[in-house]
Amino acid sequence: MKRLVKHRLFWPAVALVALIVVNTIARPQFIGITVRDGQLYGALIDILRNSAPLMLVALGMTIVIATRGIDLSVGAIMAVSGAVALTIIDGSPDPEHLGTVLVAVVTAIAVSLVLGAWNGLLVSVIGIQPIIATLVLMLAGRGVALLITDGFITTVNSAPYAYIATGYLFFLPFALLISIAAITLLAVFERRTALGVLTEAVGINPEASRLAGVRSRGIVFGAYAVSGVLAGVAGIIYSSNIRAADANAAGLFIELYAILAVVLGGTSLMGGKFTIAGTVIGVLTIQTLESTILFLGVPSAQSPVFFAVVVIVVVLVQSPSLHRWARNALRSARERRTADDDAKAVVGS
Amino acid sequence: MSLDIDTPTSRRRSIGSRYSTFMSRRASLMPTLAAILILVVLLIAAQGQFGNFLSPRNLSALLLDNAYLVVLAVGLTFVILTGGIDLSVGSVMAFTGILAASLLSQGLPTWIVIPVALAAGGVIGWLIGVLVHVFDVQPFIASLAGLFLARGLAYVVSLASIRVEDEPLLWLQRTRWTIGDWYITPTGVIALATVLIAFFVLHWTRFGRTVYAIGGGEQSARLMGLKVARTKVMVYVISGVCGGLAGVLLTAYSGAGYPRNGIGTELDAIAAVVIGGTLLTGGTGYVLGSLVGVLVYGTIKKVISFMGAEQSWTQIIIGALLLLVIIVQRIIVARSAARRR
């Protein structure tokens, strides 16, 4: 029990479970999952499916944060990626063709890789502070996306492209399968190879790990490239879901939500130790929270207040100093009780 | 005899060595000097391109259009100097701005409304500071919660924009004190006064030295017996109050409160502080640099509007110029570091 409480995923998981329990009490159908036409339906499935873009972005953010960096440009990369994909599909003679969609997706991911590599170059080779280096692309990226879509919101009708966000495969939403694939790939590379340890080493002390022979430049560069690619895929899912490329709205504020998810999962922004499972829990917590806010009927403009309050509660629950305070309070209560018992024993004899 | 011959050379060398001593002692000044250089180059280039850019009217407007950003950047400088960050400033500005506009429209007098707006900003800052210091929440996340809270509260006050009819508040923007073609409004005076007060506090008070000490190393500052806890909470309160003041200034400037004001302004303010030579790692920087940073940022925006570019190009050019500024700064700093070695 004590080891369970000490586990670093304990409090993040408690927050998520508590949210789900509250929701289930408020509306029992929340927990229910039904099978219809060989597809799973239910509030939980919706949360899992809708979380795909945030999940991908947050996974990339986890790796970047592990190297003591931060990537503010993910939302802009999403916008560019969606714009590239939809412009290619829109311009092709046969938007319904699978080949067209494949070309569009591959090109969009390639562009995202270039943008991520650009961030990596600025941070690892030129040595600009990550928050500033990625701020450049955050500011400029949406401009590029607007340029690609010519300032319009490009809409397309392409069944294969729409399938990415709304299709089903083996009973499960296709978007969910994409995020599961991303989680698995990342977990295998970071945890079954030495890459994860090297990433943490770079995050804890870049200079020391460089002296120890770790190619810290390459690892930092790679982290931003991976983050770019994942943001690109997220942009494809987002644009596939709304069947349009909206350069201004795609991925707006997602960098903040992604950072929040990473932190809720227990990864420190100071770099070093990171946990992929924690990020997954963090993303699901945020997505459940969004669905709760929607269900409660809070006016969407005012929902940030609600969101802020919950975030504050969650970080307080995770706060080590609050734990210390609670431990001390418990201990002194226990001591007082034993003192009382001793006093009674003395009186009794 | 030989002494006389030596004198000129040794004197020349002493100027050189005095320069290098100055530079090695004041290495932290380099980024700010670089920012000033960049500002001068930008202004001269713009003058060369457009001819009438360096007019007193235009330069006066440069300060007044960015008065709110100056105030935000000043508050943020305190936070960044301690090694923290405050993402909430843009939202706090929107919240206090709409709060002021709403209270004024309900007939409250200006002399009550302005302190209330400042206090509202201060309370949000205090909340962030307590989260950061007492509960060990990372500043990025604590101020992110502050961002959401303030933005949500702004919408709670009003979903639509509220016009301001209040004379004293509008006076802040409408009055123009002129010297020749130069002019300044009370908002500009307030912005400059904020910079001067911050300069005084940071360089001539115990509090200011504690701010720098925390940024240099929190543990050492604590071991030196400095009041780390109070100072750390206080810098967020200062940033919040500055956000409140910026809200009042922006409301006076635009003649209305609007809950969607200042989305992304926190990033403008961070960029301005960084361009001004304050390191995000804390401990190094100058509040006057932040003023220069805002002016660089404002000049860049103004140049773009002079060129009449479209929205997409505006964003791309701002990004590109920000990058250019940072790389130039980086080269200058690296040069000075190399010289010191």
Side-chain angles (χ1 to χ4, degrees), chain B residues 20 95 113 129 141 146-147 160 182 210 223 265 283 303 330 337:
Chain B
S20 63
F95 167 51
V113 169
I141 296 304
L147 181 154
W182 296 86
T210 312
L223 291 174
T265 302
V303 166
R330 183 97 203 129

Side-chain angles (χ1 to χ4, degrees), chain B residues 211-236:
Chain B
V211 168
Y212 277 98
I214 294 176
E218 193 178 331
Q219 196 61 30
S220 336
R222 192 168 290 141
L223 291 174
M224 276 192 280
L226 298 175
K227 291 182 170 119
V228 171
R230 191 198 291 173
T231 310
K232 258 179 96 180
V233 175
M234 202 56 202
V235 292
Y236 289 94

Side-chain angles (χ1 to χ4, degrees), chain A residues 299-304, chain B residues 98 151-162 257-260:
Chain A
S300 65
Q302 294 165 7
S303 67
Chain B
I98 190 99
R151 183 64 67 191
L153 287 174
Y155 286 119
V156 169
V157 173
S158 166
L159 287 172
S161 122
I162 300 177
Y258 184 47
R260 291 180 66 83

Side-chain angles (χ1 to χ4, degrees), chain B residues 147-199:
Chain B
L147 181 154
F148 285 123
L149 185 67
R151 183 64 67 191
L153 287 174
Y155 286 119
V156 169
V157 173
S158 166
L159 287 172
S161 122
I162 300 177
R163 266 178 66 83
V164 175
E165 315 279 357
D166 183 65
E167 277 310 317
L169 192 69
L170 294 176
W171 173 85
L172 288 176
Q173 183 64 27
R174 282 190 189 151
T175 317
R176 287 196 173 188
W177 294 311
T178 53
I179 306 171
D181 276 343
W182 296 86
Y183 67 90
I184 195 161
T185 61
T187 51
V189 173
I190 292 173
L192 290 180
T194 314
V195 175
L196 288 182
I197 294 170
F199 182 81

Side-chain angles (χ1 to χ4, degrees), chain B residues 74-108:
Chain B
V74 166
L76 200 58
T77 308
F78 279 85
V79 176
I80 293 181
L81 278 176
T82 65
I85 197 143
D86 188 353
L87 296 176
S88 72
V89 290
S91 301
V92 168
M93 178 178 76
F95 167 51
T96 57
I98 190 99
L99 182 69
S102 159
L103 292 178
L104 287 173
S105 73
Q106 287 163 24
L108 259 74

